[in-house]
Amino acid sequence: QLQFVESGGGLVQPGGSLRLACTASGFTLDYYAIGWFRQAPGKERDRVSCIKSSSDGTTYVDSVKGRFTISRDNAKNTVYLQMNNLQREDTGVYYCAAAFGSTCGSGAYWDYWGQGTQVTVSR
């Protein structure tokens, strides 16, 4: 059975931090690029970060640069998104996704998706 399970969402105040995690079962993340996507209320889903399958490259949208860090622990078959200095604009449902053989470039096909986890930044 193939699973990609998310955890770590929640409610935080502006300036706070959360760490999201996705853990794969039934497949190995080593050879997948991993993306984190965000769907804010009333907006379309955007990719906020990506890490290459080789773990030697990462990308971020401008709005999260310097605040978010994507990483992976292949031994745990898990990918993380560390989110610091969270702002209200970061509120949304976050999804992890895995693309086999991808380098985070255009045209990536996202084979597996997490179920989504809600991140709410509010006082």
Side-chain angles (χ1 to χ4, degrees), residues 70-82:
I70 189 171
S71 63
R72 64 197 303 157
D73 186 340
N74 288 340
K76 296 181 178 179
N77 219 20
T78 297
V79 63
Y80 304 94
L81 184 67
Q82 178 68 46

Side-chain angles (χ1 to χ4, degrees), residues 7-48:
S7 63
L11 173 65
V12 296
Q13 296 182 10
S17 297
L18 287 173
R19 189 181 72 164
L20 308 183
C22 280
T23 298
S25 299
F27 67 103
T28 300
L29 290 179
D30 299 45
Y31 305 111
Y32 291 79
I34 307 298
W36 284 97
F37 297 78
R38 177 174 67 200
Q39 187 163 20
K43 299 181 180 179
E44 295 189 346
R45 184 181 63 199
D46 292 322
R47 192 175 80 180
V48 300

Side-chain angles (χ1 to χ4, degrees), residues 7-9 12 15-22 36 38 48-51 58-60 63-72 78-87 90 94 117 119:
S7 63
V12 296
S17 297
L18 287 173
R19 189 181 72 164
L20 308 183
C22 280
W36 284 97
R38 177 174 67 200
V48 300
S49 187
C50 187
I51 185 167
T58 58
T59 64
Y60 303 91
S63 61
V64 308
K65 288 180 179 177
R67 300 188 297 118
F68 289 12
T69 302
I70 189 171
S71 63
R72 64 197 303 157
T78 297
V79 63
Y80 304 94
L81 184 67
Q82 178 68 46
M83 305 184 295
N84 297 326
N85 192 24
L86 283 160
Q87 305 298 310
D90 298 315
Y94 284 72
T117 186
V119 172

